[in-house]
Amino acid sequence: MRRFILLILLVTISPGIAADNTLLAVLDNPDILSLDSDGSFSARDAGLSAVLESHGLFHYEYMARKDGALNESDRRFLILESDLANFSAENARRDLQATGAFAAVAERFSLKTLTMPNDPMTSSQWAVTSGSAGIHLQQAWDVCQGSSASVIAILDTGVDVGHEDLAGNMWQNPGEIPNNGQDDDGNGYVDDYNGWDAGDNDKDPSPVPYLEGGIDVGFHGTHCAGCASATTSNGTGIAGTGWDCSIMGVKMVESNVGMTDVAITNSFLYVVETKPDVISMSFGGPDQGGMAAFMQELIDMADAEDIVCVAAAGNNGDSQMMYPGACNHVISVGATNSSNQRASFSTYGTWVDIAAPGEQIWSCVQSNYQWDFLTELLFMLMYGYDGINPYMYCDGTSMACPIVAGVAGMVRSINPYMDSDQMDAHLSDTGDYVNYDHPIGKRVNAYNAVNDLSGTGAGDTPPATRLAGNYPNPFNPKTTIRFELDKAGPVLLEVYDVGGRLLKTLENGSLPAGPQERSWDGRDNNGRAMASGVYFAKLHTGDRSLSHRMVLLQ
């Protein structure tokens, strides 16, 4: 039986500027460069200017693909182009990094998915049912079944938003009215109702055919989404780890190109804007040409927004560090099998944080497009696909990663402020020790993770005062506004219309530190029902004033 190991780092050419004379750059301060509308730039620092000139770097392209204005984070990520015939990316990267003006400089890269399809052995989900090798999901679900307010973003080849076992759990952007051609929530992405296609820059995160090693792995993101949180107890398909947790689809594949550096960067820019609870990253590669430092910058942006970052460790069967799995503030996941052993393909090492089932995992595959005849025949003969129902076996740390992301999603539904480092420590503290042949961390124990939260102090209070938003949004007849206080004190929470007229006072008093919720039923202080439209929740504390946009649909 042949295994397809799909973890390979390639340098590819992305659309736009050619890759052979370009670098990726992350500016510490975007204002250090003067960027002109014709794509040229100059440096305000003489030393940096000299380095740029020596390498013929005079042109740039923003990596951000947004319909709205670029913010400071968007402007930090650039592609720099040289006009030298003998341009050396390695030398230019070294010299630019030495100037201290850049958080990271990298050569062009693309990353690969971590799927290893395998022959079927059983139609059951051993990760759910096994008492000795499973992760105690059935016991966990007795305690917690997740929450639709806990969002898991699948950064991958795309998620089939209409899949029979995923549609019920697909994230719905609370501030966006679907398919009206407008950016209702003002985040720079038009009609991003279920997520975003960061590869082709459009609203539909559904997968397209994507060849790796000669086979179509476009199903990969949908398979991972099923592992994380397929709709559970709905009489259809499989049970997803996160049960009721929502799935946000973020497609990183550019049609006819692959999983490029630009698409990966734009995926992170999107999740930083939308702030899911967890991101699942079943892709990676070894550090080459500064790629690891560049990935770390992307991870740091997500971590700064309290997003839990989970990544596959790799399928090389050795200890080589893979990125983003080996980045700081990332929970790196190794794979186990039904015999309670390290899966032979799983990358290992002390840098791998936690282990989870990753061999012979039955999950969803896409239904929005059909495979070609030979691909379909291959999957029917080798991977359990029956030619009708959109499900199949796969192997890989790719599958272990979203299973852990689903557990993290359930934990965040109870303690919504646990960050990556806290979650990493919590999953390790509550995991099961198994004497594997090589270190891949403890095996995740879902029951302990959701049951042993009292007294941990991790994630039960917010890092700072913030207005987290409202759910549902749009809403009818009422919505719940969530906010967090970093310290006790006076709080004023009010609702205004778009004209600035005060409609409703929801809170006016002293509150303790920590998470808070208040409901609004769409009525003003006199009990009059408000018409459909946009309204604003405004939170005032002793030192903060925050607002949030809400949409009422009567």
Side-chain angles (χ1 to χ4, degrees), residues 359-394:
E359 186 174 283
Q360 295 179 351
I361 303 301
W362 184 257
S363 186
C364 310
V365 295
Q366 89 290 339
S367 58
N368 65 302
Y369 75 88
Q370 289 186 320
W371 288 307
D372 63 81
F373 173 77
L374 291 178
T375 298
E376 183 172 296
L377 180 62
L378 172 69
F379 291 164
M380 291 174 69
L381 293 175
M382 299 185 68
Y383 312 133
Y385 179 58
D386 65 6
I388 300 173
N389 298 296
Y391 303 89
M392 190 171 74
Y393 281 105
C394 284

mmCIF file of all heavy atoms in Angstrom, residues 359-394:
data_model
loop_
_atom_site.group_PDB
_atom_site.id
_atom_site.type_symbol
_atom_site.label_atom_id
_atom_site.label_comp_id
_atom_site.label_asym_id
_atom_site.label_seq_id
_atom_site.Cartn_x
_atom_site.Cartn_y
_atom_site.Cartn_z
ATOM 1 N N GLU A 359 -4.528 8.475 12.533
ATOM 2 C CA GLU A 359 -4.420 7.401 11.551
ATOM 3 C C GLU A 359 -5.785 6.752 11.353
ATOM 4 O O GLU A 359 -6.487 6.473 12.314
ATOM 5 C CB GLU A 359 -3.398 6.361 12.034
ATOM 6 C CG GLU A 359 -3.113 5.277 11.017
ATOM 7 C CD GLU A 359 -1.987 4.355 11.466
ATOM 8 O OE1 GLU A 359 -0.811 4.775 11.365
ATOM 9 O OE2 GLU A 359 -2.267 3.232 11.937
ATOM 10 N N GLN A 360 -6.151 6.503 10.085
ATOM 11 C CA GLN A 360 -7.433 5.908 9.723
ATOM 12 C C GLN A 360 -8.591 6.714 10.325
ATOM 13 O O GLN A 360 -9.433 6.193 11.052
ATOM 14 C CB GLN A 360 -7.496 4.443 10.174
ATOM 15 C CG GLN A 360 -6.497 3.561 9.454
ATOM 16 C CD GLN A 360 -6.538 2.131 9.918
ATOM 17 O OE1 GLN A 360 -7.195 1.795 10.898
ATOM 18 N NE2 GLN A 360 -5.815 1.270 9.217
ATOM 19 N N ILE A 361 -8.621 7.987 9.999
ATOM 20 C CA ILE A 361 -9.645 8.900 10.508
ATOM 21 C C ILE A 361 -10.707 9.103 9.427
ATOM 22 O O ILE A 361 -10.410 9.553 8.320
ATOM 23 C CB ILE A 361 -9.023 10.249 10.914
ATOM 24 C CG1 ILE A 361 -7.922 10.026 11.959
ATOM 25 C CG2 ILE A 361 -10.105 11.178 11.448
ATOM 26 C CD1 ILE A 361 -8.376 9.343 13.228
ATOM 27 N N TRP A 362 -11.930 8.774 9.766
ATOM 28 C CA TRP A 362 -13.069 8.868 8.841
ATOM 29 C C TRP A 362 -13.710 10.237 9.003
ATOM 30 O O TRP A 362 -14.104 10.615 10.100
ATOM 31 C CB TRP A 362 -14.073 7.776 9.177
ATOM 32 C CG TRP A 362 -15.271 7.666 8.280
ATOM 33 C CD1 TRP A 362 -16.526 8.106 8.554
ATOM 34 C CD2 TRP A 362 -15.332 7.055 7.002
ATOM 35 N NE1 TRP A 362 -17.377 7.823 7.515
ATOM 36 C CE2 TRP A 362 -16.662 7.162 6.542
ATOM 37 C CE3 TRP A 362 -14.382 6.428 6.192
ATOM 38 C CZ2 TRP A 362 -17.059 6.665 5.305
ATOM 39 C CZ3 TRP A 362 -14.788 5.930 4.969
ATOM 40 C CH2 TRP A 362 -16.119 6.057 4.533
ATOM 41 N N SER A 363 -13.800 10.986 7.904
ATOM 42 C CA SER A 363 -14.376 12.329 7.997
ATOM 43 C C SER A 363 -14.940 12.736 6.642
ATOM 44 O O SER A 363 -14.969 11.960 5.689
ATOM 45 C CB SER A 363 -13.325 13.334 8.488
ATOM 46 O OG SER A 363 -13.901 14.613 8.722
ATOM 47 N N CYS A 364 -15.364 13.970 6.556
ATOM 48 C CA CYS A 364 -16.054 14.505 5.374
ATOM 49 C C CYS A 364 -15.087 14.783 4.226
ATOM 50 O O CYS A 364 -13.920 15.111 4.456
ATOM 51 C CB CYS A 364 -16.760 15.816 5.729
ATOM 52 S SG CYS A 364 -17.804 15.753 7.201
ATOM 53 N N VAL A 365 -15.591 14.664 3.009
ATOM 54 C CA VAL A 365 -14.894 15.188 1.840
ATOM 55 C C VAL A 365 -15.872 16.062 1.062
ATOM 56 O O VAL A 365 -17.075 16.017 1.287
ATOM 57 C CB VAL A 365 -14.329 14.069 0.939
ATOM 58 C CG1 VAL A 365 -13.247 13.292 1.659
ATOM 59 C CG2 VAL A 365 -15.431 13.145 0.446
ATOM 60 N N GLN A 366 -15.363 16.847 0.153
ATOM 61 C CA GLN A 366 -16.172 17.860 -0.518
ATOM 62 C C GLN A 366 -17.287 17.242 -1.366
ATOM 63 O O GLN A 366 -17.131 16.157 -1.919
ATOM 64 C CB GLN A 366 -15.299 18.779 -1.363
ATOM 65 C CG GLN A 366 -15.059 18.353 -2.781
ATOM 66 C CD GLN A 366 -14.171 17.124 -2.893
ATOM 67 O OE1 GLN A 366 -13.420 16.807 -1.981
ATOM 68 N NE2 GLN A 366 -14.241 16.433 -4.021
ATOM 69 N N SER A 367 -18.395 17.958 -1.457
ATOM 70 C CA SER A 367 -19.496 17.563 -2.336
ATOM 71 C C SER A 367 -19.813 18.654 -3.346
ATOM 72 O O SER A 367 -20.724 18.495 -4.155
ATOM 73 C CB SER A 367 -20.753 17.260 -1.508
ATOM 74 O OG SER A 367 -21.136 18.388 -0.732
ATOM 75 N N ASN A 368 -19.057 19.762 -3.320
ATOM 76 C CA ASN A 368 -19.353 20.886 -4.218
ATOM 77 C C ASN A 368 -18.737 20.703 -5.603
ATOM 78 O O ASN A 368 -19.054 21.435 -6.531
ATOM 79 C CB ASN A 368 -18.870 22.205 -3.614
ATOM 80 C CG ASN A 368 -17.361 22.269 -3.475
ATOM 81 O OD1 ASN A 368 -16.764 21.426 -2.823
ATOM 82 N ND2 ASN A 368 -16.730 23.272 -4.079
ATOM 83 N N TYR A 369 -17.841 19.736 -5.772
ATOM 84 C CA TYR A 369 -17.359 19.396 -7.106
ATOM 85 C C TYR A 369 -16.999 17.911 -7.119
ATOM 86 O O TYR A 369 -16.773 17.300 -6.077
ATOM 87 C CB TYR A 369 -16.164 20.251 -7.525
ATOM 88 C CG TYR A 369 -14.840 19.898 -6.868
ATOM 89 C CD1 TYR A 369 -13.998 18.933 -7.421
ATOM 90 C CD2 TYR A 369 -14.412 20.540 -5.716
ATOM 91 C CE1 TYR A 369 -12.784 18.614 -6.827
ATOM 92 C CE2 TYR A 369 -13.213 20.238 -5.119
ATOM 93 C CZ TYR A 369 -12.394 19.268 -5.677
ATOM 94 O OH TYR A 369 -11.192 18.938 -5.089
ATOM 95 N N GLN A 370 -16.953 17.319 -8.300
ATOM 96 C CA GLN A 370 -16.669 15.903 -8.451
ATOM 97 C C GLN A 370 -15.221 15.679 -8.849
ATOM 98 O O GLN A 370 -14.634 16.472 -9.600
ATOM 99 C CB GLN A 370 -17.578 15.278 -9.517
ATOM 100 C CG GLN A 370 -19.044 15.153 -9.094
ATOM 101 C CD GLN A 370 -19.858 14.383 -10.138
ATOM 102 O OE1 GLN A 370 -19.656 14.567 -11.331
ATOM 103 N NE2 GLN A 370 -20.761 13.542 -9.678
ATOM 104 N N TRP A 371 -14.648 14.588 -8.345
ATOM 105 C CA TRP A 371 -13.316 14.194 -8.780
ATOM 106 C C TRP A 371 -13.358 13.665 -10.212
ATOM 107 O O TRP A 371 -14.408 13.222 -10.691
ATOM 108 C CB TRP A 371 -12.778 13.094 -7.864
ATOM 109 C CG TRP A 371 -12.396 13.544 -6.497
ATOM 110 C CD1 TRP A 371 -11.562 14.562 -6.178
ATOM 111 C CD2 TRP A 371 -12.831 12.978 -5.260
ATOM 112 N NE1 TRP A 371 -11.437 14.674 -4.817
ATOM 113 C CE2 TRP A 371 -12.210 13.718 -4.216
ATOM 114 C CE3 TRP A 371 -13.677 11.928 -4.906
ATOM 115 C CZ2 TRP A 371 -12.408 13.436 -2.879
ATOM 116 C CZ3 TRP A 371 -13.872 11.639 -3.560
ATOM 117 C CH2 TRP A 371 -13.243 12.385 -2.563
ATOM 118 N N ASP A 372 -12.224 13.677 -10.859
ATOM 119 C CA ASP A 372 -12.135 13.028 -12.155
ATOM 120 C C ASP A 372 -12.207 11.514 -11.956
ATOM 121 O O ASP A 372 -12.079 11.001 -10.841
ATOM 122 C CB ASP A 372 -10.838 13.418 -12.865
ATOM 123 C CG ASP A 372 -9.606 12.964 -12.098
ATOM 124 O OD1 ASP A 372 -9.231 11.788 -12.210
ATOM 125 O OD2 ASP A 372 -9.037 13.794 -11.361
ATOM 126 N N PHE A 373 -12.412 10.773 -13.043
ATOM 127 C CA PHE A 373 -12.681 9.338 -12.949
ATOM 128 C C PHE A 373 -11.554 8.587 -12.236
ATOM 129 O O PHE A 373 -11.805 7.765 -11.346
ATOM 130 C CB PHE A 373 -12.896 8.758 -14.349
ATOM 131 C CG PHE A 373 -13.018 7.258 -14.354
ATOM 132 C CD1 PHE A 373 -14.193 6.635 -13.947
ATOM 133 C CD2 PHE A 373 -11.950 6.465 -14.755
ATOM 134 C CE1 PHE A 373 -14.298 5.255 -13.937
ATOM 135 C CE2 PHE A 373 -12.048 5.078 -14.748
ATOM 136 C CZ PHE A 373 -13.229 4.474 -14.333
ATOM 137 N N LEU A 374 -10.303 8.854 -12.605
ATOM 138 C CA LEU A 374 -9.189 8.117 -12.029
ATOM 139 C C LEU A 374 -9.007 8.426 -10.551
ATOM 140 O O LEU A 374 -8.714 7.529 -9.748
ATOM 141 C CB LEU A 374 -7.906 8.412 -12.810
ATOM 142 C CG LEU A 374 -7.851 7.853 -14.235
ATOM 143 C CD1 LEU A 374 -6.545 8.244 -14.914
ATOM 144 C CD2 LEU A 374 -8.007 6.335 -14.225
ATOM 145 N N THR A 375 -9.165 9.688 -10.172
ATOM 146 C CA THR A 375 -9.055 10.055 -8.758
ATOM 147 C C THR A 375 -10.140 9.370 -7.944
ATOM 148 O O THR A 375 -9.878 8.813 -6.870
ATOM 149 C CB THR A 375 -9.161 11.582 -8.592
ATOM 150 O OG1 THR A 375 -8.069 12.203 -9.276
ATOM 151 C CG2 THR A 375 -9.115 11.973 -7.128
ATOM 152 N N GLU A 376 -11.371 9.416 -8.450
ATOM 153 C CA GLU A 376 -12.477 8.773 -7.747
ATOM 154 C C GLU A 376 -12.241 7.276 -7.607
ATOM 155 O O GLU A 376 -12.490 6.696 -6.542
ATOM 156 C CB GLU A 376 -13.791 9.045 -8.470
ATOM 157 C CG GLU A 376 -15.002 8.467 -7.758
ATOM 158 C CD GLU A 376 -16.293 8.926 -8.397
ATOM 159 O OE1 GLU A 376 -16.569 10.140 -8.365
ATOM 160 O OE2 GLU A 376 -17.026 8.054 -8.919
ATOM 161 N N LEU A 377 -11.750 6.640 -8.648
ATOM 162 C CA LEU A 377 -11.469 5.215 -8.589
ATOM 163 C C LEU A 377 -10.392 4.904 -7.554
ATOM 164 O O LEU A 377 -10.514 3.944 -6.774
ATOM 165 C CB LEU A 377 -11.033 4.715 -9.965
ATOM 166 C CG LEU A 377 -10.700 3.219 -10.080
ATOM 167 C CD1 LEU A 377 -11.933 2.383 -9.762
ATOM 168 C CD2 LEU A 377 -10.166 2.897 -11.471
ATOM 169 N N LEU A 378 -9.352 5.726 -7.511
ATOM 170 C CA LEU A 378 -8.287 5.549 -6.526
ATOM 171 C C LEU A 378 -8.833 5.630 -5.111
ATOM 172 O O LEU A 378 -8.537 4.774 -4.254
ATOM 173 C CB LEU A 378 -7.203 6.611 -6.735
ATOM 174 C CG LEU A 378 -6.111 6.680 -5.664
ATOM 175 C CD1 LEU A 378 -5.230 5.444 -5.728
ATOM 176 C CD2 LEU A 378 -5.273 7.943 -5.826
ATOM 177 N N PHE A 379 -9.647 6.640 -4.848
ATOM 178 C CA PHE A 379 -10.181 6.819 -3.506
ATOM 179 C C PHE A 379 -11.169 5.706 -3.132
ATOM 180 O O PHE A 379 -11.274 5.325 -1.972
ATOM 181 C CB PHE A 379 -10.858 8.184 -3.388
ATOM 182 C CG PHE A 379 -9.890 9.344 -3.432
ATOM 183 C CD1 PHE A 379 -10.341 10.633 -3.675
ATOM 184 C CD2 PHE A 379 -8.539 9.152 -3.242
ATOM 185 C CE1 PHE A 379 -9.458 11.703 -3.709
ATOM 186 C CE2 PHE A 379 -7.641 10.210 -3.270
ATOM 187 C CZ PHE A 379 -8.107 11.489 -3.518
ATOM 188 N N MET A 380 -11.889 5.186 -4.115
ATOM 189 C CA MET A 380 -12.803 4.076 -3.846
ATOM 190 C C MET A 380 -12.032 2.808 -3.509
ATOM 191 O O MET A 380 -12.402 2.062 -2.591
ATOM 192 C CB MET A 380 -13.717 3.839 -5.056
ATOM 193 C CG MET A 380 -14.719 4.947 -5.305
ATOM 194 S SD MET A 380 -15.679 4.728 -6.824
ATOM 195 C CE MET A 380 -16.674 3.305 -6.384
ATOM 196 N N LEU A 381 -10.941 2.550 -4.242
ATOM 197 C CA LEU A 381 -10.179 1.332 -4.035
ATOM 198 C C LEU A 381 -9.333 1.369 -2.775
ATOM 199 O O LEU A 381 -9.108 0.323 -2.137
ATOM 200 C CB LEU A 381 -9.277 1.074 -5.249
ATOM 201 C CG LEU A 381 -9.982 0.746 -6.570
ATOM 202 C CD1 LEU A 381 -8.955 0.650 -7.699
ATOM 203 C CD2 LEU A 381 -10.764 -0.563 -6.443
ATOM 204 N N MET A 382 -8.858 2.550 -2.407
ATOM 205 C CA MET A 382 -7.852 2.612 -1.353
ATOM 206 C C MET A 382 -8.296 3.313 -0.073
ATOM 207 O O MET A 382 -7.764 3.015 0.998
ATOM 208 C CB MET A 382 -6.585 3.309 -1.888
ATOM 209 C CG MET A 382 -5.942 2.589 -3.056
ATOM 210 S SD MET A 382 -4.377 3.334 -3.568
ATOM 211 C CE MET A 382 -3.339 2.958 -2.154
ATOM 212 N N TYR A 383 -9.249 4.252 -0.156
ATOM 213 C CA TYR A 383 -9.493 5.103 1.004
ATOM 214 C C TYR A 383 -10.921 5.057 1.524
ATOM 215 O O TYR A 383 -11.333 5.911 2.308
ATOM 216 C CB TYR A 383 -9.094 6.547 0.672
ATOM 217 C CG TYR A 383 -7.731 6.651 0.028
ATOM 218 C CD1 TYR A 383 -7.539 7.426 -1.099
ATOM 219 C CD2 TYR A 383 -6.646 5.936 0.534
ATOM 220 C CE1 TYR A 383 -6.289 7.504 -1.704
ATOM 221 C CE2 TYR A 383 -5.403 5.996 -0.064
ATOM 222 C CZ TYR A 383 -5.224 6.781 -1.178
ATOM 223 O OH TYR A 383 -3.995 6.840 -1.773
ATOM 224 N N GLY A 384 -11.708 4.084 1.047
ATOM 225 C CA GLY A 384 -13.016 3.869 1.633
ATOM 226 C C GLY A 384 -14.142 4.680 1.046
ATOM 227 O O GLY A 384 -15.279 4.596 1.523
ATOM 228 N N TYR A 385 -13.871 5.498 0.026
ATOM 229 C CA TYR A 385 -14.931 6.281 -0.597
ATOM 230 C C TYR A 385 -15.865 5.342 -1.360
ATOM 231 O O TYR A 385 -15.408 4.466 -2.096
ATOM 232 C CB TYR A 385 -14.316 7.309 -1.548
ATOM 233 C CG TYR A 385 -15.326 8.164 -2.283
ATOM 234 C CD1 TYR A 385 -16.243 8.936 -1.592
ATOM 235 C CD2 TYR A 385 -15.347 8.192 -3.684
ATOM 236 C CE1 TYR A 385 -17.162 9.725 -2.268
ATOM 237 C CE2 TYR A 385 -16.251 8.986 -4.366
ATOM 238 C CZ TYR A 385 -17.169 9.749 -3.653
ATOM 239 O OH TYR A 385 -18.082 10.511 -4.315
ATOM 240 N N ASP A 386 -17.201 5.520 -1.174
ATOM 241 C CA ASP A 386 -18.153 4.610 -1.808
ATOM 242 C C ASP A 386 -18.724 5.136 -3.120
ATOM 243 O O ASP A 386 -19.595 4.514 -3.725
ATOM 244 C CB ASP A 386 -19.296 4.256 -0.853
ATOM 245 C CG ASP A 386 -20.175 5.457 -0.493
ATOM 246 O OD1 ASP A 386 -19.972 6.556 -1.067
ATOM 247 O OD2 ASP A 386 -21.063 5.296 0.360
ATOM 248 N N GLY A 387 -18.248 6.263 -3.583
ATOM 249 C CA GLY A 387 -18.710 6.830 -4.839
ATOM 250 C C GLY A 387 -19.991 7.624 -4.740
ATOM 251 O O GLY A 387 -20.431 8.217 -5.727
ATOM 252 N N ILE A 388 -20.611 7.643 -3.555
ATOM 253 C CA ILE A 388 -21.888 8.340 -3.381
ATOM 254 C C ILE A 388 -21.828 9.312 -2.209
ATOM 255 O O ILE A 388 -22.068 10.513 -2.367
ATOM 256 C CB ILE A 388 -23.029 7.325 -3.154
ATOM 257 C CG1 ILE A 388 -23.152 6.375 -4.353
ATOM 258 C CG2 ILE A 388 -24.352 8.058 -2.911
ATOM 259 C CD1 ILE A 388 -24.126 5.247 -4.140
ATOM 260 N N ASN A 389 -21.513 8.791 -1.033
ATOM 261 C CA ASN A 389 -21.546 9.600 0.189
ATOM 262 C C ASN A 389 -20.212 10.323 0.389
ATOM 263 O O ASN A 389 -19.143 9.718 0.250
ATOM 264 C CB ASN A 389 -21.847 8.712 1.398
ATOM 265 C CG ASN A 389 -23.209 8.053 1.294
ATOM 266 O OD1 ASN A 389 -24.225 8.727 1.284
ATOM 267 N ND2 ASN A 389 -23.224 6.730 1.185
ATOM 268 N N PRO A 390 -20.243 11.608 0.737
ATOM 269 C CA PRO A 390 -19.014 12.412 0.800
ATOM 270 C C PRO A 390 -18.232 12.231 2.100
ATOM 271 O O PRO A 390 -18.130 13.134 2.933
ATOM 272 C CB PRO A 390 -19.542 13.846 0.662
ATOM 273 C CG PRO A 390 -20.909 13.794 1.266
ATOM 274 C CD PRO A 390 -21.455 12.435 0.938
ATOM 275 N N TYR A 391 -17.650 11.028 2.258
ATOM 276 C CA TYR A 391 -16.832 10.711 3.437
ATOM 277 C C TYR A 391 -15.709 9.783 2.997
ATOM 278 O O TYR A 391 -15.848 9.017 2.042
ATOM 279 C CB TYR A 391 -17.664 10.036 4.528
ATOM 280 C CG TYR A 391 -18.857 10.843 4.971
ATOM 281 C CD1 TYR A 391 -20.074 10.704 4.328
ATOM 282 C CD2 TYR A 391 -18.751 11.757 6.014
ATOM 283 C CE1 TYR A 391 -21.178 11.455 4.713
ATOM 284 C CE2 TYR A 391 -19.839 12.510 6.411
ATOM 285 C CZ TYR A 391 -21.048 12.360 5.758
ATOM 286 O OH TYR A 391 -22.128 13.117 6.136
ATOM 287 N N MET A 392 -14.581 9.827 3.737
ATOM 288 C CA MET A 392 -13.429 9.031 3.335
ATOM 289 C C MET A 392 -12.446 8.953 4.506
ATOM 290 O O MET A 392 -12.479 9.781 5.418
ATOM 291 C CB MET A 392 -12.771 9.676 2.112
ATOM 292 C CG MET A 392 -11.707 8.851 1.427
ATOM 293 S SD MET A 392 -11.196 9.611 -0.141
ATOM 294 C CE MET A 392 -10.221 10.995 0.443
ATOM 295 N N TYR A 393 -11.584 7.926 4.473
ATOM 296 C CA TYR A 393 -10.494 7.827 5.445
ATOM 297 C C TYR A 393 -9.331 8.708 5.027
ATOM 298 O O TYR A 393 -9.072 8.902 3.839
ATOM 299 C CB TYR A 393 -9.982 6.391 5.536
ATOM 300 C CG TYR A 393 -10.835 5.464 6.358
ATOM 301 C CD1 TYR A 393 -11.643 4.519 5.733
ATOM 302 C CD2 TYR A 393 -10.815 5.523 7.742
ATOM 303 C CE1 TYR A 393 -12.417 3.646 6.473
ATOM 304 C CE2 TYR A 393 -11.594 4.654 8.495
ATOM 305 C CZ TYR A 393 -12.388 3.714 7.853
ATOM 306 O OH TYR A 393 -13.148 2.864 8.591
ATOM 307 N N CYS A 394 -8.605 9.193 6.012
ATOM 308 C CA CYS A 394 -7.318 9.841 5.773
ATOM 309 C C CYS A 394 -6.405 9.581 6.965
ATOM 310 O O CYS A 394 -6.875 9.348 8.079
ATOM 311 C CB CYS A 394 -7.458 11.347 5.593
ATOM 312 S SG CYS A 394 -8.115 11.849 4.003
#
